[in-house]
Amino acid sequence: MKRFNKIKKKKEPSIGILFSMLIPGMGELYAGNYESGKYFTITDGVLWGVFAGFNFYGKWKEDNYKSFAQSKGGVNLEGKDSDYFATIGIYISVDEYNRIKELNREFYNVYDPKTDFWKWESESQRKEYRQMWLSSEQAYNNVRFAIGALILNRLISAINAVRLISA
């Protein structure tokens, strides 16, 4: 029986980077040391949950403020963009908004009252809508932070994988 010397195949850092970018912690697994890698994998799962949660919450709040605007402000939701929904929380009515825009000679920003109508019954109703809109926007901003954290987790995992492969 012949003995064969096992030739230890050198691992490629680029493959470790690729694995870590796909699923954090997998680069460490490739390097043969998953002890630290498991924390990157767990963190990634948690961050995906945070991402989904804030996305769901933001959409739910968006549906709420649009429904409120339709029922309390007389808004026709069809064809309206995000700027419109931001604007209606600042002004009590389309007439007030248009008057201010006309005084500032911003005629290109005037809304057509027939298609872009809104009118809040009171200042407190406008503020209630505005708070709902802000809550949705904050949730969507938190989604961006979750995306940043997902990217950062991958980068740190890739650096750690290269460090482990090179050691």
Side-chain angles (χ1 to χ4, degrees):
M1 181 160 119
K2 283 187 169 182
R3 288 191 164 199
F4 293 97
N5 289 336
K6 285 189 177 179
I7 300 172
K8 192 173 184 180
K9 188 176 178 184
K10 184 169 166 54
K11 296 190 177 184
E12 292 293 322
S14 59
I15 294 175
I17 291 170
L18 178 66
F19 285 161
S20 286
M21 289 298 184
L22 292 173
I23 301 173
M26 293 302 107
E28 286 84 353
L29 183 64
Y30 171 74
N33 184 352
Y34 191 60
E35 267 315 294
S36 61
K38 65 184 172 189
Y39 298 109
F40 291 110
T41 306
I42 292 167
T43 301
D44 198 57
V46 169
L47 289 172
W48 277 111
V50 168
F51 170 81
F54 279 128
N55 214 13
F56 176 79
Y57 182 73
K59 180 65 175 141
W60 176 61
K61 295 303 267 184
E62 181 181 345
D63 291 343
N64 282 350
Y65 78 68
K66 285 181 178 181
S67 176
F68 186 86
Q70 187 176 35
S71 65
K72 303 290 185 180
V75 171
N76 176 3
L77 302 177
E78 194 172 317
K80 303 303 186 286
D81 62 6
S82 60
D83 289 339
Y84 175 83
F85 289 107
T87 299
I88 68 172
I90 299 170
Y91 301 93
I92 197 84
S93 70
V94 68
D95 295 330
E96 178 193 18
Y97 171 83
N98 284 345
R99 188 170 37 258
I100 290 170
K101 293 302 172 186
E102 288 166 353
L103 287 171
N104 291 326
R105 301 181 139 336
E106 297 177 26
F107 301 109
Y108 49 88
N109 284 332
V110 172
Y111 282 123
D112 180 357
K114 291 178 185 149
T115 58
D116 300 320
F117 177 83
W118 81 89
K119 184 173 183 175
W120 302 113
E121 291 176 14
S122 65
E123 186 64 21
S124 63
Q125 198 176 65
R126 182 198 64 79
K127 286 180 180 178
E128 184 179 353
Y129 167 82
R130 181 72 175 170
Q131 191 56 45
M132 295 168 92
W133 178 83
L134 286 170
S135 180
S136 174
E137 289 299 302
Q138 184 60 50
Y140 286 134
N141 282 339
N142 290 341
V143 167
R144 292 181 192 106
F145 285 116
I147 291 170
L150 283 163
I151 292 168
L152 184 62
N153 189 45
R154 282 166 168 66
L155 290 174
I156 294 171
S157 176
I159 291 168
N160 190 48
V162 169
R163 184 187 62 83
L164 290 172
I165 291 168
S166 299

